[in-house]
Amino acid sequence: RVFEIRQLESRFNPHFMLNIMETLRYVIPMDQALAVEATLTLSRVLKYSVYNDGDMVALRTDIDHVQDYLRLHKIRFEDRLQYTISQDRRTADMRVPKLLFQPLIENAIKHGYRNKETLSLAINAFEDEGNLVIEVLDDGGDVPEERIQALQEAVYGEEPPAGHMGLWNINRRLVLMYGEAHRLYIDSVNGGFYACLRIPMGFARGEMGHV
């Protein structure tokens, strides 16, 4: 189980790198200051992603990484991408698996532009009923109920599905670390895709070990 968690933690999306490098190719001759900012931000993202100096990090640390990650996409998509991050300050020091919810954002960006020219994301972190809750919502369009059901079957399966590796990865890590009761929740809400994960407060506060 520990070995599998390590393997899941180590996955990195190469398409992200290709897209950002292509963006830099166009930005460098047009806006050198922006190119420097993008390069430094990319350096932070890669360092955080590649150097795994611990299984668990403070939520604020992972959110700082997510802000850098979204900034790179903002440079790429400009006004076509909007996002908000809301974090209850009481959750800032809670411990979460490193890079746990970045794939939710990857998924929203990958699929959200299929039906729309612009995309808005909302990331929320708060306490609820004894859990640390992290939500990612987008407005990329309604997802039919049958599609949600098929996606749930794929994400909850024992083997990684084609096309939804990121979501399967999150769910697998949650189940391995916190048990079957803490699967990734996905649905179609208010004209977009909704994903939610819950970490028991005892684990988030460092009071309990993994299952």
Side-chain angles (χ1 to χ4, degrees):
R1 180 173 60 83
V2 172
F3 176 76
E4 184 175 354
I5 290 171
R6 296 286 189 185
Q7 291 293 102
L8 293 169
E9 287 172 349
S10 68
R11 298 188 185 278
F12 186 80
N13 186 352
H15 298 293
F16 164 73
M17 273 295 300
L18 292 174
N19 289 332
I20 297 305
M21 296 304 293
E22 186 70 11
T23 299
L24 277 172
R25 186 166 72 89
Y26 288 100
V27 168
I28 288 172
M30 298 174 59
D31 190 334
Q32 291 187 6
L34 183 59
V36 169
E37 177 193 346
T39 302
L40 292 174
T41 303
L42 178 59
S43 177
R44 288 195 300 270
V45 167
L46 292 176
K47 183 177 180 180
Y48 187 80
S49 302
V50 173
Y51 293 104
N52 194 345
D53 53 2
D55 296 333
M56 308 293 287
V57 296
L59 178 58
R60 65 166 176 244
T61 302
D62 225 41
I63 285 183
D64 285 346
H65 164 74
V66 163
Q67 288 177 323
D68 278 341
Y69 179 79
L70 283 168
R71 175 57 181 152
L72 291 172
H73 282 293
K74 179 73 172 175
I75 292 171
R76 176 187 175 199
F77 291 108
E78 299 180 325
D79 291 340
R80 294 176 56 212
L81 175 64
Q82 304 295 330
Y83 60 87
T84 61
I85 299 177
S86 173
Q87 180 186 11
D88 185 332
R89 61 186 179 186
R90 295 174 298 178
T91 69
D93 292 320
M94 292 184 182
R95 310 296 289 176
V96 298
K98 186 177 179 180
L99 295 169
L100 180 63
F101 64 101
Q102 178 183 306
L104 296 179
I105 299 166
E106 291 178 358
N107 182 76
I109 290 174
K110 177 180 178 181
H111 298 285
Y113 284 105
R114 289 184 174 179
N115 300 315
K116 297 184 64 177
E117 287 293 318
T118 62
L119 184 69
S120 294
L121 297 176
I123 298 110
N124 304 315
F126 54 93
E127 293 183 44
D128 180 60
E129 297 182 351
N131 292 283
L132 167 62
V133 179
I134 299 171
E135 300 176 326
V136 177
L137 308 87
D138 68 61
D139 65 350
D142 283 317
V143 183
E145 183 176 350
E146 59 272 19
R147 177 59 180 156
I148 291 292
Q149 292 176 350
L151 185 57
Q152 289 171 340
E153 291 177 3
V155 170
Y156 299 155
E158 288 296 319
E159 299 295 328
H164 296 286
M165 184 65 192
L167 296 181
W168 184 89
N169 183 314
I170 292 176
N171 183 70
R172 187 66 178 165
R173 288 177 72 187
L174 287 171
V175 169
L176 287 172
M177 298 181 77
Y178 306 117
E180 290 286 342
H182 293 278
R183 287 183 171 185
L184 175 68
Y185 177 78
I186 52 179
D187 204 349
S188 181
V189 177
N190 297 329
F193 189 75
Y194 171 78
C196 175
L197 57 90
R198 291 175 175 265
I199 297 174
M201 292 302 299
F203 292 97
R205 292 191 178 114
E207 299 166 355
M208 302 169 65
H210 297 165
V211 296

